Amino acid sequence: LTGTSREQRAFQYLLAHAIPGDPHHILQTFDQWCYHCEHLSCVGPDKGRIVERVLLEQAPLRVLELGTYCGYGTVLLAQGLPPGARLYTIEGDPQHAAVAEKVIRLAGFSEQTVELIVGPSEEVIPRLREKHGLINANLVFMDHWKRCYLRDLKLLESHQLLAEGATILADNVLFPGAPHFLQYVKTCGKYHCKVHRASLEY
């Protein structure tokens, strides 16, 4: 009725209630909106703890996120980066990217720390090194269209964008599910796989 999207309404709520420059409070405010107002398919606090644990264990200097959406996962990743690290995040939907850009900057992250790239992942990935300066990624967080997981992983491999010992963290591989991706990573012999059990968002 208002003519604004759920994502835009969530951002208006952030503006009214979140503390600018405080990533943790930005995420908490997002969670309040999603629990009590409207559901958004953000990572959420339950799976967020898994992401935080991986960041703490790996301390990656170059992180790639596929599927920025509203910027929740981006803020979650960015707040856990070690000093001097850089996060590249790709979003295919320009309207979602416009909201995410504002959320990322509201959380206090500059373009030197977080670079948001708008475009289809299959077009952006081949240009990451040449156009955006990503030599390779130590951590990749996949949270975009599940049908694209396998295609994009193979693109990352073929363009040598995975650092030695890189970690691939893929959300929602069981539900709604990415069966071809799962089969590939389990059987190709390049990866050691671990499934983290978690509830759905909110």
Side-chain angles (χ1 to χ4, degrees):
L1 289 174
T2 62
T4 59
S5 67
R6 276 190 304 174
E7 294 79 17
Q8 289 170 319
R9 291 194 291 274
F11 178 68
Q12 291 303 319
Y13 184 81
L14 282 184
L15 277 179
H17 297 93
I19 301 168
D22 185 337
H24 183 67
H25 196 258
I26 297 276
L27 296 177
Q28 280 186 326
T29 309
F30 247 129
D31 292 335
Q32 287 170 1
W33 171 265
C34 294
Y35 277 124
H36 304 296
C37 301
E38 294 181 277
H39 176 268
L40 295 173
S41 54
C42 303
V43 179
D46 184 28
K47 290 189 284 188
R49 282 187 284 273
I50 297 168
V51 176
E52 287 172 334
R53 192 170 70 242
V54 170
L55 282 166
L56 195 62
E57 290 169 358
Q58 305 286 338
L61 287 175
R62 296 176 301 279
V63 178
L64 174 64
E65 179 186 34
L66 302 178
T68 317
Y69 187 41
C70 292
Y72 183 106
T74 316
V75 172
L76 180 68
L77 288 164
Q79 75 167 357
L81 292 176
R86 188 164 169 77
L87 168 60
Y88 302 80
T89 182
I90 301 171
E91 174 54 50
D93 185 320
Q95 290 181 314
H96 291 165
V99 173
E101 180 80 47
K102 290 184 277 193
V103 169
I104 294 162
R105 306 311 166 208
L106 184 67
F109 298 108
S110 69
E111 290 184 13
Q112 281 67 47
T113 303
V114 179
E115 182 178 351
L116 172 59
I117 305 163
V118 184
S121 54
E122 71 271 24
E123 294 178 13
V124 174
I125 289 171
R127 304 196 309 259
L128 278 173
R129 182 176 288 120
E130 188 180 311
K131 189 172 180 183
H132 301 280
L134 175 62
I135 302 162
N136 52 36
N138 308 110
L139 173 67
V140 178
F141 182 47
M142 293 187 166
D143 196 16
H144 56 326
W145 293 107
K146 312 312 155 208
R147 65 176 183 270
C148 301
Y149 279 18
L150 180 56
R151 180 202 67 197
D152 288 352
L153 179 60
K154 288 185 172 180
L155 272 175
L156 291 169
E157 289 176 350
S158 64
H159 288 86
Q160 298 175 328
L161 286 165
L162 298 176
E164 190 175 344
T167 298
I168 314 291
L169 196 55
D171 194 15
N172 295 335
V173 292
L174 299 179
F175 183 84
H180 299 298
F181 169 84
L182 267 186
Q183 184 183 19
Y184 176 75
V185 296
K186 285 180 177 179
T187 60
C188 72
K190 300 174 187 174
Y191 303 99
H192 169 73
C193 295
K194 180 179 180 182
V195 176
H196 299 269
R197 299 283 172 176
S199 62
L200 287 173
E201 306 86 4
Y202 310 109

